[in-house]
Amino acid sequence: MGIKDTPEEWQVTATATPFVGNKTSVRTDEVVMPDGSTVKRDYQVHPGSVAVLALDEQGRVLVLKQYRHPVRQKLWEIPAGLLDVPGENPLHAAQRELFEEAHVKAEDWRVLTDIYTTPGGCDEAIRIFLAQGLSEAEGERFAVSEEEADMEFARVPLAELVRGALAGELHNNCLVVGVMALSAALASDGLTALRPADAPWPARPFEA
């Protein structure tokens, strides 16, 4: 018997927003438990994100290294970014991020997997795309600033990234989940069995 996550919403008797930031906020809900008691749950409210596992013809994945202040590390990651506009088409956002961060475009797009990053404390949902048929984008490179101005780039064989994740040497969630999902897809039904790029995404509904 297959298993799958199911939508459910417990009763909220009160809610407050004690903090509002530039991109995210913190919400406090009073939630009714199955035994009838009420508890407070604090969580980060997040617009959602997209990430791109860009795979070239030699089986290498496009990765970038970026400083992440909360964990005080420079992490190897795949291109990723926020859904800037509510209801934004995630494919369009992913194409934008691949262009802005790596100055690359792709001909073939598929949904690799969808995840919640930390569902116990944040409602962030991420759609990870697989992009193939890579080539350099036309025009000038996107002007970067802040942490992105210090990024390093590389193309790394998939097997090496899997090894690094299992060895505890790579920690970015989108990178780790993405390479593991791609490895699993290649070992089972193949990439053509992946969902199309415009597959529904209940966590972040969008217009085509």
Side-chain angles (χ1 to χ4, degrees):
M1 182 179 65
I3 63 170
K4 64 178 181 179
D5 299 332
T6 55
E8 184 168 345
E9 187 168 350
W10 291 0
Q11 181 184 0
V12 175
T13 59
T15 187
T17 306
F19 170 79
V20 177
N22 292 329
K23 298 292 185 180
T24 67
S25 61
V26 173
R27 181 176 297 163
T28 299
D29 288 343
E30 295 186 13
V31 185
V32 179
M33 297 288 105
D35 63 2
S37 63
T38 300
V39 300
K40 289 186 177 181
R41 291 289 178 260
D42 302 319
Y43 59 99
Q44 182 184 21
V45 179
H46 194 286
S49 307
V50 292
V52 185
L53 197 153
L55 185 68
D56 69 16
E57 294 179 352
Q58 300 177 47
R60 301 175 303 175
V61 177
L62 173 63
V63 292
L64 52 93
K65 197 175 190 180
Q66 184 172 354
Y67 176 67
R68 294 301 188 182
H69 185 70
V71 296
R72 307 301 199 271
Q73 291 192 42
K74 292 187 76 173
L75 302 179
W76 283 106
E77 307 178 353
I78 56 177
L82 299 176
L83 293 169
D84 291 332
V85 181
E88 181 178 17
N89 188 304
L91 174 60
H92 298 167
Q95 292 169 332
R96 179 186 68 235
E97 293 301 329
L98 185 60
F99 168 77
E100 291 182 357
E101 294 193 350
H103 200 66
V104 167
K105 64 180 181 180
E107 296 299 322
D108 183 73
W109 292 81
R110 299 175 189 274
V111 174
L112 187 54
T113 191
D114 299 324
I115 60 173
Y116 290 115
T117 53
T118 49
C122 179
D123 71 352
E124 181 183 16
I126 300 182
R127 168 156 283 188
I128 304 177
F129 288 91
L130 172 65
Q132 298 180 94
L134 308 183
S135 61
E136 184 175 357
E138 297 88 359
E140 297 182 3
R141 295 189 68 94
F142 182 78
V144 296
S145 61
E146 301 175 354
E147 291 93 341
E148 292 183 351
D150 189 48
M151 289 193 300
E152 304 172 43
F153 296 89
R155 296 196 180 197
V156 182
L158 175 63
E160 177 64 15
L161 295 174
V162 171
R163 185 208 62 78
L166 295 176
E169 299 169 353
L170 301 170
H171 305 89
N172 175 261
N173 58 351
C174 291
L175 172 64
V176 172
V177 172
V179 299
M180 295 299 186
L182 177 58
S183 181
L186 290 169
S188 56
D189 296 330
L191 303 185
T192 57
L194 294 173
R195 287 172 291 162
D198 60 353
W201 189 17
R204 292 294 183 275
F206 62 91
E207 295 183 4

